[in-house]
């Protein structure tokens, strides 16, 4: 199974909206289809969005016909804007755009820029592969043999386009060390990334799990049935406040209330050092239709309204540690996140 594959002149994406019922791939050379795939969550999860966008920008560059540098860059700007408008919260998307823009600077002509876009996308892909592998192994030390671990949303190969993942990568690495881990999987309403995708990945990894609905987490936390919680992140502010899939924040509060450690696992590309706190993280509002139905079956009356924020922000005080490829960051986050950047980014 490959979440994202570059085929030289086109990209192949595993359509995650069809999982686990059907394994269907989207193959395209049209960058606009990649933008739509990101919007529709065919490709999703912060690091995977970043990698797909980087390759998508390369496709957009390749498709530009004009050759003089200025006109070429004008058209490329539209490609950048289309990707920037696809999903607002996952900072990895904006990190990919920034890296692609930096790659243009010293390139003299359209041919060289096109090549640079392809090379930079491949480089980001390789960097994220190593980051996820390193952070997974670093985080595995936090999980002891016999631990019962609660996770929210999907944070494995599907969400990262790499062989490990963030939170699920840590769980995978711990299992590879021979530890017995039992995973409690939040179903993750409204789009069921936990029920559809995390269970699918855990089955393949042969790691035991129990699927629970989101509103059951407090019950199990209060009865001492969970040893720790580990989740991914879509954007981490420089003070450690973390945006992740809607429903993460209540789990963090419940973990705190029940003295259960709450860990965030993310590559350094998910840290947005330009913002001071979670208040500045833009939260994506999605179509209320996603609330009215489950996989195409209407569950709510017609002509009602709903709210559908896709992410929430967990304040840093509820986070016991942040696992990155550059090490495990503890409080005080402001100072320790800064030093991670100075050392390794
Ligand atoms: O809306 P999604 O499915 O893209 O949300 C994904 C998450 O919230 C993940 O937890 C997050 O991207 C980190 S996973 C690598």
């Amino acid at each position: 199974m490959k979440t994202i594959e570059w085929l030289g002149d086109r990209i192949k994406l595993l359509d995650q909206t069809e999982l686990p019922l059907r394994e269907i791939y989207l193959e395209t050379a049209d960058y606009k289809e990649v933008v739509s795939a990101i919007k529709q969550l065919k490709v999703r999860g912060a690091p995977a969005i970043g990698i797909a966008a980087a390759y998508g920008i390369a496709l957009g560059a390749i498709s530009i016909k004009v050759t003089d540098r200025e006109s070429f860059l004008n058209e490329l700007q539209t490609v950048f804007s289309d990707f920037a408008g696809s999903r607002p919260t996952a900072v990895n998307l904006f990190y990919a755009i920034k890296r692609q823009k930096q790659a243009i600077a010293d390139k003299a002509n359209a041919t060289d820029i096109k090549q640079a876009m392809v090379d930079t996308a491949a480089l980001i892909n390789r960097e994220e592969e190593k980051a996820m592998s390193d952070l997974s192994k670093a985080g595995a030390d936090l999980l002891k043999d016999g631990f019962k671990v609660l996770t929210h949303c999907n944070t494995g190969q599907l969400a990262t386009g790499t062989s490990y993942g963030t939170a699920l990568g840590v769980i995978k690495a711990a299992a590879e060390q021979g530890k017995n881990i039992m995973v409690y999987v939040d179903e993750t309403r409204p789009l069921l990334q936990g029920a559809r995708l995390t269970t699918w990945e855990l089955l393949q990894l042969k790691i035991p799990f129990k699927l629970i609905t989101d509103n059951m987490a407090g019950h199990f936390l209060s009865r001492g049935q969970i040893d720790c919680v580990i989740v991914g992140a879509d954007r981490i502010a420089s003070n450690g406040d973390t945006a992740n899939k809607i429903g993460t924040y209540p789990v963090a509060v419940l973990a705190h209330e029940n003295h259960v450690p709450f860990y965030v696992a993310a590559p350094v590309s998910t840290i947005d050092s330009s913002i001071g706190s979670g208040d500045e993280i833009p939260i994506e509002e999605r179509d209320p239709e996603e609330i009215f139905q489950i996989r195409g079956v209407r569950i709510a009356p017609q002509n009602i309204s709903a709210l559908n924020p896709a992410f929430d922000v967990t304040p840093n005080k509820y986070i016991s540690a942040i696992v990155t490829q550059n090490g495990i960051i503890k409080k005080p986050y402001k100072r320790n996140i800064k030093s991670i950047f100075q050392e390794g980014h």
Side-chain angles (χ1 to χ4, degrees):
M1 179 267 285
K2 275 201 176 126
T3 306
I4 302 167
E5 197 175 355
W6 177 249
L7 300 174
D9 58 353
R10 58 200 196 286
I11 192 169
K12 190 171 165 188
L13 301 171
L14 175 56
D15 182 349
Q16 299 187 33
T17 60
E18 297 285 347
L19 289 173
L21 305 180
R22 297 193 303 166
E23 202 171 316
I24 291 177
Y25 290 85
L26 163 74
E27 219 175 287
T28 185
D30 179 353
Y31 89 87
K32 290 198 169 158
E33 279 201 61
V34 182
V35 173
S36 299
I38 292 173
K39 283 184 181 163
Q40 293 166 20
L41 272 57
K42 288 182 177 175
V43 58
R44 48 147 297 281
I49 292 170
I51 295 167
Y55 281 124
I57 290 166
L59 287 176
I62 291 168
S63 71
I64 297 172
K65 299 274 182 295
V66 292
T67 51
D68 75 284
R69 196 173 188 276
E70 206 182 316
S71 316
F72 181 88
L73 289 182
N74 273 340
E75 290 197 25
L76 190 57
Q77 193 49 50
T78 309
V79 175
F80 285 132
S81 308
D82 286 348
F83 277 102
S86 61
R87 293 194 77 188
T89 305
V91 78
N92 306 59
L93 171 71
F94 302 94
Y95 174 74
I97 293 171
K98 189 171 97 184
R99 291 280 299 271
Q100 290 289 36
K101 285 187 175 169
Q102 285 167 350
I104 294 171
D106 60 341
K107 302 295 171 298
N109 56 53
T111 311
D112 289 355
I113 294 173
K114 288 179 185 183
Q115 190 57 50
M117 302 287 95
V118 175
D119 293 345
T120 306
L123 179 62
I124 292 173
N125 198 349
R126 284 198 301 277
E127 286 171 359
E128 293 294 62
E129 177 65 41
K130 179 162 172 17
M132 249 50 79
S133 164
D134 289 352
L135 77 85
S136 296
K137 285 164 195 161
D141 291 343
L142 298 168
L143 309 189
K144 307 277 171 264
D145 188 26
F147 257 30
K148 297 187 180 68
V149 181
L150 176 78
T151 192
H152 191 74
C153 199
N154 170 263
T155 59
Q157 288 181 266
L158 292 168
T160 60
T162 68
S163 2
Y164 278 84
T166 57
L168 207 52
V170 170
I171 291 167
K172 175 180 171 177
E176 282 172 353
Q177 290 173 353
K179 294 171 186 164
N180 286 313
I181 306 291
M182 159 67 85
V183 187
Y184 283 65
V185 180
D186 273 356
E187 67 170 348
T188 319
R189 273 283 283 153
L191 296 179
L192 304 173
Q193 289 92 332
R196 295 188 300 107
L197 308 176
T198 302
T199 54
W200 189 74
E201 288 197 46
L202 286 167
L203 277 174
Q204 293 182 18
L205 293 169
K206 299 190 168 48
I207 297 173
F209 65 89
K210 302 258 187 242
L211 176 62
I212 61 171
T213 64
D214 300 337
N215 51 3
M216 294 175 188
H219 170 77
F220 292 112
L221 282 160
S222 72
R223 297 199 160 201
Q225 278 172 255
I226 312 279
D227 296 296
C228 76
V229 178
I230 184 158
V231 299
D234 282 80
R235 194 183 296 226
I236 300 172
S238 59
N239 70 346
D241 291 351
T242 295
N244 190 50
K245 178 52 55 196
I246 192 76
T248 302
Y249 165 53
V251 174
V253 176
L254 286 163
H256 180 80
E257 166 72 15
N258 291 289
H259 313 290
V260 173
F262 179 92
Y263 302 120
V264 170
V268 173
S269 56
T270 303
I271 301 175
D272 184 352
S273 56
S274 75
I275 58 170
S277 80
D279 294 343
E280 295 169 67
I281 300 177
I283 299 295
E284 176 182 12
E285 278 289 336
R286 292 186 64 83
D287 189 343
E289 271 307 315
E290 293 178 348
I291 308 279
F292 299 146
Q293 44 101 4
I294 295 181
R295 303 215 92 181
V297 178
R298 181 98 191 175
I299 54 161
Q302 299 292 339
N303 304 319
I304 62 165
S305 60
L307 298 169
N308 189 13
F311 301 96
D312 58 25
V313 175
T314 299
N316 58 19
K317 67 175 173 183
Y318 296 122
I319 300 171
S320 313
I322 301 174
V323 180
T324 75
Q325 72 269 33
N326 293 350
I328 296 178
I329 311 175
K330 295 225 164 120
K331 291 172 183 145
Y333 289 118
K334 209 168 170 173
R335 192 191 70 197
N336 294 340
I337 285 178
K338 202 169 177 185
S339 57
I340 279 278
F341 266 89
Q342 278 156 359
E343 282 162 25
H345 198 55

